[in-house]
């Protein structure tokens, strides 16, 4: 996370980067578009725990476009979108008006902006930057249709895992690791296959957006 960058640099330690930290470094070296699987989020019961990912804050202050498949439904999608709005982040969905929930194409949550081509994405990004709004655009891309069946299976497993967590009174920091591990157990190889498929799909669109952005320089 961004809050650990200074510590690692000062102590000369290595480490992996979250979405927020990757955005920070990308901005430093002039990389305008960053692709990931899913972004961080507001956790369930975040209104009580204040467990909110720094990814959302970074999107509100760092000029790096993020292309992702949305947010996993084990988390609080409506509150995540509310928090992004508070941060002034423009959320656009690709070829839909509905925010995707990572493993499935839909979440039941609408977005204010729809883009239907890499060129439209680039035009939106360029306008956002020319206005000097100081934030960036999140492009939410639904999982490919051919993997939506697996997505439905995974969504069912998520709901099952959520029920188990409530029954076992697993909350706080222990909840998300439990849910992810349980979903992986319940779905077998479907979880990994869907992850790979959506990341490849995001990367393809991200590359096309990067090419389209060149014409605005």
């Amino acid at each position: 996370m961004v809050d650990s960058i200074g510590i690692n640099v000062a102590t000369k330690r290595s480490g992996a980067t979250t979405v927020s930290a990757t955005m920070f470094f990308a901005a430093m070296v002039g990389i305008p578009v960053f692709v990931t699987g899913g972004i961080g989020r507001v956790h369930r019961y975040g209104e009580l725990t204040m467990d909110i990912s720094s990814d959302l804050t970074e999107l509100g202050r760092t000029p790096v476009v993020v292309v992702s498949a949305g947010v996993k439904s084990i988390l609080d999608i409506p509150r995540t979108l509310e928090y992004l709005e508070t941060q002034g982040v423009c959320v656009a969905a690709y070829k839909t008006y509905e925010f995707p929930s990572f493993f499935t194409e839909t979440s039941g949550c609408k977005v204010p902006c729809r883009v239907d081509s890499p060129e439209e994405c680039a035009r939106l990004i360029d306008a956002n930057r020319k206005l000097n709004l100081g934030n960036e655009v999140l492009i939410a891309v639904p999982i490919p249709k051919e993997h939506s069946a697996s997505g439905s299976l995974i969504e069912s497993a998520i709901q099952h895992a959520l029920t188990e967590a409530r029954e076992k009174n697993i909350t706080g920091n222990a909840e998300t690791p439990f849910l992810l591990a349980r979903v992986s157990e319940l779905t077998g190889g479907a979880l990994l296959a869907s992850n790979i498929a959506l990341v490849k799909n995001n990367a393809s669109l991200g590359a096309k957006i990067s090419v389209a952005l060149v014409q605005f320089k």
Side-chain angles (χ1 to χ4, degrees), residues 35-104:
V35 172
T36 185
I39 61 167
R41 60 289 164 200
V42 176
H43 281 259
R44 289 175 185 261
Y45 312 111
E47 72 276 19
L48 301 176
T49 64
M50 294 302 292
D51 192 348
I52 301 171
S53 170
S54 62
D55 294 355
L56 308 184
T57 305
E58 205 65 31
L59 277 161
R61 67 184 184 187
T62 303
V64 174
V65 178
V66 175
V67 180
S68 86
V71 175
K72 294 183 181 73
S73 61
I74 61 172
L75 306 160
D76 195 326
I77 295 176
R79 283 194 172 88
T80 295
L81 291 173
E82 287 289 344
Y83 192 82
L84 286 169
E85 181 182 344
T86 299
Q87 294 298 311
V89 179
C90 175
V91 179
Y94 193 66
K95 296 185 177 181
T96 179
Y97 280 109
E98 190 162 344
F99 192 75
S101 60
F102 203 76
F103 293 119
T104 57

Side-chain angles (χ1 to χ4, degrees), residues 1-13 15-26 28 58 61:
M1 295 185 290
V2 173
D3 63 324
S4 301
I5 293 175
I7 298 171
N8 285 349
V9 171
T11 57
K12 297 183 179 181
R13 290 185 292 185
T17 57
T18 59
V19 169
S20 60
T22 304
M23 288 179 67
F24 174 81
F25 288 121
M28 283 184 67
E58 205 65 31
R61 67 184 184 187

Side-chain angles (χ1 to χ4, degrees), residues 121-131 213 216-217:
C121 294
R123 194 175 301 114
L124 171 63
I125 294 162
D126 181 64
N128 194 70
R129 290 179 176 175
K130 285 179 177 175
L131 288 167
L213 269 173
F216 293 102
K217 288 188 177 181

